[in-house]
């Protein structure tokens, strides 16, 4: 169950999933360990130690279904081709390509849990577990900075204009 939840969280477009609160609390350390492995592998790859990075990648593959398994083409029933299990493989690729780079300077705390309230059917408490510093969050932060900068520049311009007007009126009175 944790492997499926971790795969869903890593592969989700919004980088968040809705689940029950106890599952989210169990999932948090599971996903954070996998992200830490990708961070460490990124640092080893930058140093040139590809064997250590490969070892960490294989360790992280254990957190996902079919992470490092190579399936031969003729292992299905009666010679039929077995379909690829790509969710775990794509999660592993995303973990090491995108998330390892994103969190390379962050010492921990890669996930956030937000409580949603109780579900109607069984009154189970729901929660959203999401990855921090996701693109949606970064975009909102830059937009807020732009709005704040524009507002402060308007205040400055307005303040200068009023100051010039008062100087002009004072000079006219003298």
């Amino acid at each position: 169950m944790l492997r499926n939840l971790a795969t869903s969280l890593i592969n989700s477009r919004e980088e968040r999933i809705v689940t029950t609160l106890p599952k989210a609390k169990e999932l948090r350390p599971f996903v954070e360990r996998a992200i830490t492995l990708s961070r460490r592998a990124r640092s080893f790859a930058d140093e040139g130690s590809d064997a250590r990075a490969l070892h960490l990648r294989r360790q992280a593959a254990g957190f996902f279904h079919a992470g490092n398994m190579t399936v031969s083409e003729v292992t299905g029933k009666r010679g039929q081709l077995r379909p690829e299990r790509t969710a775990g493989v794509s999660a592993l690729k995303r973990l090491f390509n995108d998330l390892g780079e994103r969190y390379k300077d962050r010492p921990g705390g890669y996930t956030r849990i937000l409580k949603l309230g109780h579900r109607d059917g069984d009154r189970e408490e729901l929660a959203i577990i999401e990855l921090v510093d996701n693109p949606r969050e970064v975009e909102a932060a830059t937009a807020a900075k732009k709005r704040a900068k524009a507002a402060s520049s308007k205040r400055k311009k307005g303040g200068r204009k009023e100051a010039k007007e008062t100087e002009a009126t004072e000079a006219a009175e003298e």
Side-chain angles (χ1 to χ4, degrees):
M1 180 185 67
L2 287 176
R3 287 179 179 185
N4 287 334
L5 286 172
T7 302
S8 296
L9 179 62
I10 299 293
N11 285 337
S12 68
R13 207 173 339 152
E14 295 87 21
E15 297 184 353
R16 59 173 31 189
I17 57 171
V18 178
T19 185
T20 62
L21 185 62
K23 286 180 187 176
K25 286 182 176 181
E26 287 292 321
L27 180 63
R28 171 183 263 172
F30 191 80
V31 170
E32 291 195 1
R33 276 190 226 115
I35 293 174
T36 300
L37 288 173
S38 71
R39 270 188 57 234
R40 290 176 49 208
R42 171 69 72 181
S43 66
F44 282 135
D46 292 342
E47 293 173 3
S49 178
D50 291 332
R52 289 185 181 193
L54 178 63
H55 174 66
L56 292 172
R57 186 179 190 101
R58 287 180 174 164
Q59 280 184 330
F63 287 91
F64 305 102
H65 287 296
N68 65 345
M69 292 175 42
T70 316
V71 179
S72 66
E73 294 183 16
V74 195
T75 55
K77 290 184 179 179
R78 297 187 182 140
Q80 296 174 351
L81 296 178
R82 179 186 270 179
E84 285 188 40
R85 296 183 346 186
T86 58
V89 175
S90 64
L92 195 62
K93 286 180 184 176
R94 184 151 190 273
L95 181 69
F96 279 83
N97 294 341
D98 300 337
L99 300 179
E101 180 65 29
R102 183 193 306 172
Y103 296 125
K104 67 180 177 185
D105 297 329
R106 190 176 185 97
Y110 314 113
T111 58
R112 173 186 304 130
I113 296 176
L114 305 170
K115 294 181 181 180
L116 289 179
H118 296 282
R119 187 165 43 201
D120 288 336
D122 58 357
R123 302 292 296 160
E124 184 66 37
E125 192 167 8
L126 293 177
I128 294 175
I129 183 166
E130 66 180 2
L131 298 174
V132 296
D133 297 339
N134 54 36
R136 181 178 30 85
E137 228 176 87
V138 172
E139 183 179 314
T142 56
K145 284 181 184 178
K146 286 181 183 178
R147 283 194 302 270
K149 187 176 181 180
S152 67
S153 67
K154 284 183 183 177
R155 278 189 239 129
K156 287 180 183 177
K157 288 180 183 177
R160 289 180 190 158
K161 188 183 267 186
E162 292 171 3
K164 288 181 183 178
E165 289 174 0
T166 55
E167 288 175 9
T169 54
E170 289 175 1
E173 289 177 0
E174 290 178 357

